[in-house]
Amino acid sequence: MTQDAAPRKGRPRRGRAAAIQTVAVEAVTWTLDRPPTINDVARLAHVSKKTVSRVINQSPFVNEETRTIINAIIEQIGYMPSPQARGLAFQRSFLLGLVYDNPNAQFIVNIQEGVLAACRLAGFELVVHPCDQKSPHFLNDAKQFVQRQNLDGVIVVPPASENPQLVEVLRDLGCRYVRLSAVSLDEAANMVVYNDRQGAAEVAEHLAGLGHRDIGFIAGPSRHRSAHERRESFVGALRNHGITLRPEMVEEGAYTFESGEVCATRLLTREPRPTAIFASNDEMAAGVYKTAQRLGISIPRDLTIVGFDDSPIATRLWPSLTTVRLPAKDLGRLAAEKLIIRISSDEEEGHTATGVVSRMVVRESSVPPRG
Amino acid sequence: MTQDAAPRKGRPRRGRAAAIQTVAVEAVTWTLDRPPTINDVARLAHVSKKTVSRVINQSPFVNEETRTIINAIIEQIGYMPSPQARGLAFQRSFLLGLVYDNPNAQFIVNIQEGVLAACRLAGFELVVHPCDQKSPHFLNDAKQFVQRQNLDGVIVVPPASENPQLVEVLRDLGCRYVRLSAVSLDEAANMVVYNDRQGAAEVAEHLAGLGHRDIGFIAGPSRHRSAHERRESFVGALRNHGITLRPEMVEEGAYTFESGEVCATRLLTREPRPTAIFASNDEMAAGVYKTAQRLGISIPRDLTIVGFDDSPIATRLWPSLTTVRLPAKDLGRLAAEKLIIRISSDEEEGHTATGVVSRMVVRESSVPPRG
DNA sequence: TCAATAAATGACACCGGTTTCCTAATGGGG
DNA sequence: CCCCATTAGGAAACCGGTGTCATTTATTGA
């Protein structure tokens, strides 16, 4: 890829080419019982394997006719270069890794989908690798993963992406990586960020605008940066509207359905009962629904609920959930694109900050408070 | 792996080993600026790379002391064999593929999780590959996927797994594969099946036992084998209880939430209105919930609803959904284990049929009909 | 004491690509 | 007409492991 720089002129040649055509045609009748290699192509084309290699790698130093012949033979015998051998010679694997320890299946699937879309376009394949930050082998495990497969790059999803030790391991390994996070941490160049502040602030304005004053908030687990972002932005925006979130109106959940139920039970059995609850993600919002229904609290008449993520469950719930759309698929695509560009252009570090914003989606679960 | 068969005796040797120990210790102070290779290990151990290779591959033909030394050096310099080079020489990739075209994210994630668990234990990595059966490039795309990455094996998830052309492609490629399906199709050896009949029959008995007679059924899309299985088993079991499903009480959905809403609307606006609806999966059951709520029909008082899959949404819904548990994670694990065993033992075809059964889970959405 | 035997190890080619370096042919300028 | 620049292509080494086969050394039986 680094050699065989662009030529300045081009002078076609003849002679060998015409003869080869015949050979090639003759060769096609010949069937191989194993996958064809570059040597087979070279032999059939009466050319050295290096020339075939040049064709494969789009080197400009190949006569147009020769190239045509070789391409025809490649086409006819169905030759495909072995990524193993290529990787060995190139010192590259054409493999990207996706490291995640996120319990939210939908988020992962969406991310994965976006990543795969970008991979597909660039000829990369994706190796997925779930892990567990709480495991003592976590770091070693991640290290082995990257080293063993010789990954060209790794995409790390939160909350694993927010683990500084993991980042250090990746850097030590010299492995290019892109992190997804709710905030741009220490290194903007290696990150794709999603702006949760925007969405959370919109929710605050929405609730304030509807006239809610007794507002409950279910925060995410503190190890997630997104939890901080959503909380701070929400609280701050409420304050701008002259509303102060009382401490007892804030509960910390774990981004799970069950924790949503638990937190909602606490909030809804307090006096004064909140007229609106903002849960930091849709899963917990679903827990709030269930709790409210169990307690005979009507949604949205007696309780406005807002979630975050716009996962499929938001529309499955009844009434449908007002939430904040987090474009996970776009995030995945952006991350992969960023990584692939960096790999292909051989840059050590990217320079542009990349990110997406989250916007509120108003549905049926948010209405003005009663009375 | 095929050479270096087991020895008949063992006679320890001395002499060189003691000297090597010193060399090894001395060598450790030497730091490399690139990932260590087998050559580095060999040089430091004053041994040929072949011997190191023997140690790596657990060949019994290595002197115990030599092995110890080499292992120590490997440990100390952090050497890990390159899977690329290994794969090239072995003609193997240690990579498994997961091919899916299933829109149900949760199902895929669960399968993937099970597959990964098995992969991890056996030292394989997983390359995921979503695809689209409706695309004209579908088969070619799958072929390229397998060939390019030299996959050791592929796991195919329904409905793609039920595409005979895809199976033919895989077979032609000589690629080992395991298919997941609701029924054992033409080749039990290459399949992991889940028995949907059991669960569907249990639902029929459950509904009949509760006293329901006007029962609506939302079938899955006919291209899914599982749709047939669930339908036939349900209808048959109902008949055993003297209940005939009238044609107008059957609607065909697409396994999606939206199609569930559409089908439910049709069913619930007919006379006589069914007192129970069995949806062929939970997503569609969620659509039934939404429709019932929109129409002011109380669940479960006025309408019993049963789903299939036991996906997370079953417990998110209110009241919680009676459904059939399909152990997707186990399915994935079983498939991967089966595949890995076949790869490792170099069997062409497996011989044991593998499968899981589905069982009903009764929750709050199913009660006797009113009156 | 001398094969014969067996364990332990090494030399070398190979897997399927790539890079480096070199040669041959062509055409233009002096 | 010769030399050089330039293009097209090839030979050999290499990437990091493997298989095959030969070689070395020690033990054993005759």
Side-chain angles (χ1 to χ4, degrees):
Chain A
M1 296 250 187
T2 55
Q3 51 109 227
D4 282 358
R8 292 177 238 172
K9 294 187 190 177
R11 245 163 272 173
R13 273 207 322 180
R14 313 210 81 268
R16 170 105 85 341
I20 295 172
Q21 189 96 46
T22 326
V23 176
V25 173
E26 169 194 352
V28 175
T29 64
W30 225 40
T31 321
L32 253 52
D33 60 331
R34 56 177 167 72
T37 73
I38 197 174
N39 295 305
D40 300 320
V41 177
R43 189 167 353 98
L44 294 176
H46 294 191
V47 174
S48 82
K49 53 198 261 192
K50 177 57 195 174
T51 301
V52 179
S53 170
R54 287 197 177 92
V55 171
I56 296 169
N57 290 292
Q58 323 245 30
S59 161
F61 290 105
V62 185
N63 186 304
E64 205 44 56
E65 284 189 69
T66 313
R67 180 193 308 280
T68 308
I69 306 294
I70 292 178
N71 274 326
I73 293 180
I74 286 177
E75 176 80 16
Q76 285 169 6
I77 69 176
Y79 164 71
M80 308 184 92
S82 149
Q84 308 236 7
R86 263 178 131 233
L88 189 58
F90 267 143
Q91 297 287 62
R92 284 183 49 184
S93 64
F94 301 97
L95 249 36
L96 257 41
L98 180 68
V99 172
Y100 63 91
D101 67 334
N102 196 308
N104 183 340
Q106 192 60 51
F107 187 65
I108 296 303
V109 171
N110 289 344
I111 296 267
Q112 185 170 304
E113 204 176 325
V115 170
L116 283 166
C119 283
R120 175 99 27 128
L121 289 178
F124 280 77
E125 289 291 344
L126 183 69
V127 186
V128 295
H129 194 89
C131 57
D132 176 15
Q133 280 199 70
K134 291 186 290 295
S135 156
H137 314 104
F138 170 67
L139 290 176
N140 208 6
D141 185 59
K143 184 172 174 177
Q144 297 213 3
F145 170 60
V146 172
Q147 249 181 4
R148 280 186 55 87
Q149 293 303 326
N150 244 128
L151 299 179
D152 287 347
V154 175
I155 294 167
V156 196
V157 170
S161 62
E162 288 146 4
N163 183 324
Q165 296 176 58
L166 175 61
V167 174
E168 198 181 322
V169 165
L170 289 177
R171 185 172 302 157
D172 287 351
L173 251 36
C175 176
R176 282 168 235 270
Y177 59 94
V178 165
R179 297 154 72 191
L180 253 54
S181 179
V183 284
S184 183
L185 301 172
D186 40 350
E187 28 159 49
N190 289 328
M191 304 206 59
V192 171
V193 302
Y194 44 98
N195 181 351
D196 283 353
R197 307 191 85 90
Q198 168 85 24
E202 284 181 15
V203 171
E205 280 169 38
H206 179 58
L207 294 180
L210 288 173
H212 289 280
R213 291 300 173 266
D214 295 317
I215 299 175
F217 178 63
I218 304 181
S222 52
R223 67 182 187 120
H224 284 68
R225 300 298 305 223
S226 63
H228 292 284
E229 290 292 295
R230 293 169 194 188
R231 178 181 198 147
E232 285 171 18
S233 176
F234 183 63
V235 171
L238 277 186
R239 193 175 300 124
N240 290 345
H241 286 263
I243 302 173
T244 307
L245 213 55
R246 291 197 310 276
E248 67 270 24
M249 282 292 112
V250 176
E251 293 285 342
E252 179 174 323
Y255 276 165
T256 65
F257 174 71
E258 291 76 13
S259 70
E261 284 184 289
V262 171
C263 294
T265 306
R266 293 213 195 98
L267 290 175
L268 293 174
T269 51
R270 268 206 250 288
E271 287 298 336
R273 206 174 74 191
T275 59
I277 291 182
F278 176 32
S280 289
N281 75 350
D282 289 351
E283 274 291 297
M284 295 196 296
V288 179
Y289 268 67
K290 188 135 197 173
T291 301
Q293 282 152 340
R294 189 164 45 77
L295 298 177
I297 298 172
S298 167
I299 307 169
R301 203 193 52 178
D302 298 330
L303 180 65
T304 279
I305 303 180
V306 178
F308 207 114
D309 280 355
D310 196 21
S311 70
I313 200 168
T315 51
R316 271 50 166 175
L317 291 171
W318 188 84
S320 59
L321 177 66
T322 293
T323 184
V324 177
R325 177 183 300 264
L326 202 166
K329 184 172 171 182
D330 291 337
L331 273 175
R333 192 174 43 69
L334 285 173
E337 285 172 354
K338 184 162 194 156
L339 191 53
I340 289 171
I341 286 176
R342 195 171 319 157
I343 292 170
S344 307
S345 67
D346 216 39
E347 284 177 61
E348 264 317 306
E349 298 273 320
H351 294 294
T352 56
T354 317
V356 299
V357 296
S358 54
R359 302 303 300 262
M360 185 175 58
V361 182
V362 177
R363 297 213 178 88
E364 303 164 353
S365 66
S366 54
V367 299
R370 203 158 47 134
Chain B
M1 296 246 188
T2 55
Q3 50 107 230
D4 283 356
R8 293 175 236 171
K9 294 185 190 177
R11 246 163 272 173
R13 272 205 321 180
R14 315 209 81 268
R16 182 144 15 23
I20 295 173
Q21 189 97 44
T22 325
V23 176
V25 173
E26 168 196 353
V28 176
T29 63
W30 225 42
T31 319
L32 255 51
D33 60 331
R34 54 176 170 72
T37 74
I38 197 173
N39 293 306
D40 299 319
V41 178
R43 190 166 354 98
L44 293 176
H46 293 192
V47 171
S48 79
K49 52 198 261 190
K50 179 63 196 174
T51 300
V52 179
S53 169
R54 287 197 177 92
V55 171
I56 295 170
N57 291 293
Q58 323 243 28
S59 160
F61 290 107
V62 184
N63 186 304
E64 207 44 56
E65 284 188 69
T66 313
R67 182 194 308 280
T68 308
I69 307 293
I70 292 178
N71 274 327
I73 292 181
I74 286 177
E75 175 80 18
Q76 287 168 4
I77 70 175
Y79 164 72
M80 307 184 94
S82 148
Q84 306 235 10
R86 216 140 188 271
L88 189 57
F90 267 142
Q91 298 286 60
R92 282 182 53 185
S93 64
F94 301 97
L95 249 37
L96 257 41
L98 180 68
V99 172
Y100 63 90
D101 66 335
N102 197 308
N104 184 340
Q106 192 60 51
F107 187 65
I108 296 304
V109 171
N110 289 343
I111 296 267
Q112 186 169 305
E113 203 177 327
V115 170
L116 283 166
C119 283
R120 174 98 27 126
L121 289 177
F124 281 77
E125 288 291 345
L126 183 69
V127 185
V128 296
H129 194 89
C131 58
D132 176 15
Q133 279 199 70
K134 292 186 289 295
S135 156
H137 315 103
F138 171 65
L139 291 176
N140 209 5
D141 185 59
K143 184 171 174 180
Q144 297 211 2
F145 171 60
V146 172
Q147 253 181 359
R148 280 185 56 85
Q149 294 303 328
N150 244 123
L151 300 179
D152 287 347
V154 175
I155 295 167
V156 195
V157 170
S161 62
E162 288 144 3
N163 183 323
Q165 296 175 57
L166 176 61
V167 174
E168 199 181 321
V169 165
L170 290 176
R171 184 173 303 157
D172 287 351
L173 252 35
C175 176
R176 282 168 236 270
Y177 59 92
V178 166
R179 298 153 72 192
L180 254 54
S181 178
V183 283
S184 182
L185 301 171
D186 41 349
E187 29 159 47
N190 289 328
M191 302 206 60
V192 171
V193 301
Y194 44 98
N195 180 350
D196 284 351
R197 307 192 83 89
Q198 168 85 24
E202 284 181 15
V203 171
E205 279 169 40
H206 179 58
L207 293 180
L210 289 173
H212 290 280
R213 291 300 172 267
D214 295 318
I215 298 175
F217 178 63
I218 303 181
S222 51
R223 69 183 187 121
H224 282 70
R225 302 298 305 222
S226 64
H228 293 285
E229 291 292 294
R230 293 170 192 187
R231 178 182 199 145
E232 285 170 19
S233 176
F234 183 64
V235 171
L238 277 185
R239 194 176 297 125
N240 290 345
H241 285 265
I243 302 173
T244 307
L245 212 55
R246 290 197 314 276
E248 67 270 25
M249 283 291 111
V250 177
E251 293 285 341
E252 179 174 321
Y255 275 165
T256 64
F257 174 71
E258 290 76 14
S259 70
E261 285 185 286
V262 171
C263 295
T265 305
R266 293 211 196 99
L267 290 174
L268 292 174
T269 51
R270 268 206 250 288
E271 287 299 333
R273 207 173 73 191
T275 60
I277 291 182
F278 176 31
S280 290
N281 75 350
D282 289 352
E283 273 291 297
M284 294 197 295
V288 179
Y289 269 65
K290 188 134 197 173
T291 301
Q293 282 152 339
R294 189 164 45 77
L295 298 176
I297 299 171
S298 165
I299 307 169
R301 200 192 57 176
D302 298 331
L303 181 66
T304 279
I305 303 180
V306 179
F308 206 113
D309 281 354
D310 197 21
S311 68
I313 200 168
T315 51
R316 273 40 165 185
L317 292 171
W318 187 84
S320 60
L321 177 66
T322 294
T323 184
V324 177
R325 175 184 302 263
L326 202 166
K329 185 173 171 181
D330 291 337
L331 275 174
R333 192 176 40 72
L334 285 172
E337 285 172 354
K338 185 163 194 157
L339 192 53
I340 290 171
I341 287 176
R342 195 172 317 158
I343 292 169
S344 308
S345 67
D346 216 40
E347 284 178 59
E348 263 317 307
E349 298 274 321
H351 295 292
T352 56
T354 317
V356 300
V357 296
S358 53
R359 301 303 298 262
M360 185 174 57
V361 182
V362 178
R363 297 212 179 86
E364 303 164 353
S365 66
S366 54
V367 298
R370 201 155 49 131

